[in-house]
Each structure stands twice: as C-alpha cells, then as structure tokens.
Amino acid sequence: MFDTPLEKKVDELVSRISQSNELDEVDELAEIYGDLYHPEVGYRFGEKYLLLNAKKEAVKYLLDSACFGLNPEEAYLKTGYADAIGHSMWYLINNYDYAKEFDSVRYNLYCGAYFCLSVCINGMGISAYDSLRTRALMIDGYDKTIVKKMLSKYYYDGDDLCTQILSLSDFFFAAEGFGNNGKHQISSGCLVRANENMDDLLTLPQYSPMLSLNIADIANISKQNQKHLVKNLTPDFRLGAFQMRPYSLRQAVEDNRIISPLGFWE
C-alpha cells in the first residue's frame, strides 16, 4: 500500500531514535530523517524533543504529523499510523499554551485526535495500549470546556454527565496492554486510575445498579459507551467537520502560541 523503501527508513529511524537520549543525538537524526514525509517521523521526533524538554524543536515535527489528520480521506488514517497522527494532535494542544483565538482550532484538533486514536484502538484492541491511555487522559485531564463541548454533541448533553464511565474502560484495558508488554509500572498506574473512576461513578445514583459488578464488568459497559461516542463522532469527521488546510493550522499555531516574556516556549 505504501512506499516500501520509505517504510524501511521509518523503521530505521524508530529504532535509532528510541536509543537517543541526548539533544545533539536527536538533532543529528533530524538532519538525516527529518525531511521524510511520513506521520511516524513527525510523531517520533516531536515526542522525543518533548521528552528532552526541547518544546521549540518539537512543534514543527508535531505539526508535520498532525497535518496528516486534517484530510478525512488521508490513507494513513486507515492504518496503525493513526496513532502517530492522533498523538501528535494531542501533544500540540496539551503541551503548549495558546491565545483565546485558537480555541476553535484547539477543538478541531481535540476531536481529530480523539477520532484518530479511536481508529487505532478499534483496529488493534488492547495492543493499542498507549492510545487507550491517552484517550482516557483526554477525557479526565484536559480543558473541561472542550471535553464537555465534544461530549454534549456526540455522547450525552445532561447535567448529570459522568465522564468516568468513558475513561474507566480505556484505563482498564490500557493496564492490561501495558502489563502484557512488560511495562508493569505504567500498567499499575492505569489500573489505579480505573479503580478510582469506578469508585467515583458508583457514588452516583444513576449507577447504583452496578454496585454488585466487578471492575471488569463495568469496564465492558464503559467500552460500549466509548463505542457509542465514536460512532456518533465518525460521520462528522468523515464529512470534514474538523478539516483544515495544513497551511492554516501551521499559521494558527504560529500566530497564537504563547511565549513567555523570557523567550521560553510554552
């Protein structure tokens, strides 16, 4: 389906960048691989630069990857690379501060990231454990105004909205996926979050019938709620409701990203 030599170069990059923990090493790799037009390239460089606290360097690469998710017809969205695209969108809105004028773009990126991660989860199940954890964090740990705006349109628009019934399953199944891959500390953290969400939702009267259920049972109910949300979100994504031109996104980020008075990127 895709350019085989390009995929081989991307695989080579992934291997090399995972072993690079110094900024100058990543800069050297960027000289070699940085111009490759592929969503995994931007994602890997962006994430690594963020881990090294080089936010200024990260933003270009995150944009490169995120732009693959702006067109609903993009072929990469039908593959596991949807994870790279979704994470890049998420990193752009979660790791940088923006002026109020950026809010509509921020909402589009939020919905786009949620859809892209969901594509990966639907295709890979618990093997998409990183996507599962991130999607849970998008519900539990982001701007409540943005979260509620999306949920009120695609999930439920009531005053008794309980977000934990959505994120619980993602934390629970992410814990299983991380555990299966030997990442036991992260797995334990995800399971703690899942149990906390279960405790919270079981205090609400609408969930009292679940008091006799164990966490696995509730996680499966939560999973069905997630499927309902994604099913409702999908038609708008496919019809281009969150679509932007790559140039417009890049310009919006450049114009609205907030920089501290000392010149450090935020």
Side-chain angles (χ1 to χ4, degrees), residues 152-164:
S152 65
K153 184 168 185 180
Y154 300 111
Y155 176 64
Y156 177 68
D157 188 20
D159 293 335
D160 58 344
L161 171 67
C162 172
T163 57
Q164 289 90 339

Side-chain angles (χ1 to χ4, degrees), residues 120-121 124-130 132 172-174 176-178 180-181 223:
C120 187
I121 292 165
M124 298 177 62
I126 64 170
S127 295
Y129 46 86
D130 207 26
L132 282 161
F172 181 81
F173 293 113
E176 184 178 353
F178 279 114
N180 290 345
N181 284 270
K223 183 177 180 180

Side-chain angles (χ1 to χ4, degrees), residues 77 94 134 260:
L77 289 174
N94 194 51
T134 297
S260 76

Side-chain angles (χ1 to χ4, degrees), residues 16-230:
R16 294 185 65 179
I17 204 169
S18 65
Q19 302 171 42
S20 301
N21 296 303
E22 299 294 335
L23 193 57
D24 58 349
E25 294 175 353
V26 181
D27 287 340
E28 288 177 10
L29 290 176
E31 287 291 324
I32 301 170
Y33 298 98
D35 291 333
L36 295 179
Y37 186 67
H38 193 285
E40 192 76 7
V41 173
Y43 164 58
R44 293 291 180 171
F45 276 119
E47 183 177 61
K48 180 62 75 169
Y49 275 126
L50 286 176
L51 288 171
L52 294 173
N53 202 32
K55 296 177 71 175
K56 178 180 178 181
E57 289 79 4
V59 69
K60 170 201 177 299
Y61 292 101
L62 295 174
L63 279 167
D64 287 348
S65 181
C67 283
F68 283 95
L70 301 182
N71 180 358
E73 301 301 321
E74 170 59 54
Y76 281 118
L77 289 174
K78 301 174 184 177
T79 73
Y81 292 124
D83 172 79
I85 298 167
H87 268 103
S88 296
M89 289 178 161
W90 169 240
Y91 289 156
L92 276 172
I93 60 175
N94 194 51
N95 290 278
Y96 298 89
D97 295 322
Y98 299 93
K100 181 71 175 175
E101 291 75 13
F102 192 74
D103 279 359
S104 61
V105 177
R106 194 158 60 105
Y107 177 72
N108 285 350
L109 288 174
Y110 181 87
C111 292
Y114 208 89
F115 175 82
C116 292
L117 295 176
S118 298
V119 168
C120 187
I121 292 165
N122 290 346
M124 298 177 62
I126 64 170
S127 295
Y129 46 86
D130 207 26
S131 292
L132 282 161
R133 181 181 60 167
T134 297
R135 195 173 69 169
L137 293 171
M138 290 183 71
I139 293 291
D140 280 4
Y142 194 57
D143 183 334
K144 297 302 181 185
T145 303
I146 295 288
V147 176
K148 191 174 189 306
K149 181 178 179 180
M150 185 190 75
L151 295 185
S152 65
K153 184 168 185 180
Y154 300 111
Y155 176 64
Y156 177 68
D157 188 20
D159 293 335
D160 58 344
L161 171 67
C162 172
T163 57
Q164 289 90 339
I165 194 61
L166 290 168
S167 53
L168 185 152
S169 62
D170 283 353
F171 280 129
F172 181 81
F173 293 113
E176 184 178 353
F178 279 114
N180 290 345
N181 284 270
K183 302 181 179 183
H184 300 298
Q185 185 173 356
I186 302 175
S187 173
S188 177
C190 288
L191 191 56
V192 167
R193 294 292 297 269
N195 276 287
E196 289 174 347
N197 282 3
M198 182 178 72
D199 291 342
D200 288 343
L201 70 87
L202 289 179
T203 65
L204 302 175
Q206 65 265 40
Y207 295 112
S208 58
M210 296 185 184
L211 286 170
S212 62
L213 301 180
N214 60 39
I215 190 169
D217 293 330
I218 296 176
N220 280 308
I221 294 171
S222 172
K223 183 177 180 180
Q224 296 308 310
N225 288 340
Q226 277 282 14
K227 287 184 175 180
H228 173 74
L229 165 57
V230 175

